Amino acid sequence: MPATLFPCPGVLPAFTSTGGALFFAGGSFSSVELQAMERDGLLRWLYADNYVRWDIEPDPVCRALAAAHALPARLRGKIMLGRFTAAWIYGCAPAPRRLQLLVDHRSRTTALPPFSAAVLHEVHLDSEDGMEIAGITVTTPLRTASDLARHGPEEEAVQALLAIAANPVLRCPLAAVRGAVESGPRQPGKSAALRRVDLAIDQAQRDQAPPAGPEDQTRRREPVVR
């Protein structure tokens, strides 16, 4: 069985030591050396210039550390990782092409360096909107799901919402997501966000419905007499 960085399965620790499991360019090895080790089967690519040892199954701690290493050190304590980046960290979406960073609009704006591999969004954030994973703040599953419903492309957002709701560790059922979106402030896109959550709820219900037996299929083919 592959090793894991979780000290206890199903628990998101506040911090961890990688113990030589996570490798990033500029550490003990260069980017070229890490790519060669991946070709030799010693490492697996994780994100940007970040790799994990071949026998490590990436988890939220791995992905949060990889995201942190992809950011300038001065930014790590000032932002939250959110939207599809947070969904990826939770294992509910593919790795993002650009890290999505959130900063509270009331705080001093933090500029990204030129040609950054991240995009910064100024939004309203409360302290309960984030949780710490491996020393970096990530939006909670509920805030992540609510943001995806509002801002994500519809198909990708619905799939991420289904994955978040299906993960029992995250404790984020779709009913709670809908309630959070519905009770939120009236903003452009709120109706579209509710529609996306409803699409996810409908899909989840279809996936959970038992397959129809031969008798049920026969009944559906009969015309309805009014």
Side-chain angles (χ1 to χ4, degrees):
M1 180 180 295
T4 177
L5 291 185
F6 277 126
C8 179
V11 176
L12 294 177
F15 58 89
T16 188
S17 170
T18 61
L22 183 69
F23 299 85
F24 56 95
S28 301
F29 303 98
S30 69
S31 178
V32 173
E33 289 172 321
L34 292 174
Q35 292 175 40
M37 293 166 72
E38 181 195 19
R39 287 194 297 270
D40 291 339
L42 300 175
L43 300 178
R44 290 196 289 172
W45 178 81
L46 181 57
Y47 185 75
D49 282 331
N50 296 266
Y51 298 79
V52 290
R53 207 171 60 205
W54 68 272
D55 58 342
I56 293 293
E57 186 64 36
D59 60 19
V61 172
C62 283
R63 290 185 283 267
L65 288 168
H69 284 137
L71 292 173
R74 63 180 180 81
L75 287 180
R76 295 172 193 169
K78 299 178 180 180
I79 53 86
M80 281 191 197
L81 297 173
R83 301 186 183 181
F84 279 104
T85 300
W88 165 66
I89 287 173
Y90 291 130
C92 299
R97 286 187 294 177
R98 300 179 73 187
L99 295 175
Q100 292 174 298
L101 315 180
L102 307 184
V103 64
D104 189 79
H105 66 91
R106 295 163 294 188
S107 65
R108 186 174 179 181
T109 302
T110 302
L112 293 176
F115 311 109
S116 173
V119 58
L120 187 67
H121 301 281
E122 292 188 36
V123 298
H124 178 82
L125 290 172
D126 292 320
S127 57
E128 64 269 20
D129 287 331
M131 61 186 296
E132 189 176 286
I133 303 176
I136 191 163
T137 306
V138 183
T139 53
T140 63
L142 182 58
R143 174 64 194 248
T144 301
S146 301
D147 283 345
L148 291 180
R150 285 186 175 277
H151 303 288
E154 187 166 286
E155 185 175 348
E156 292 88 340
V158 169
Q159 292 307 310
L161 288 170
L162 287 167
I164 290 171
N167 188 332
V169 174
L170 302 181
R171 301 177 185 177
C172 188
L174 291 170
V177 179
R178 197 184 198 288
V181 174
E182 195 166 27
S183 63
R186 185 174 296 276
Q187 296 175 350
K190 184 172 182 177
S191 297
L194 290 171
R195 187 186 70 250
R196 289 169 184 166
V197 179
D198 288 339
L199 286 172
I201 291 172
D202 290 343
Q203 181 64 56
Q205 290 173 342
R206 286 196 298 271
D207 292 344
Q208 292 171 1
E215 200 172 311
D216 293 332
Q217 293 173 355
T218 303
R219 284 198 187 118
R220 276 205 296 271
R221 286 197 294 267
E222 294 175 354
V224 177
V225 179
R226 296 185 182 276

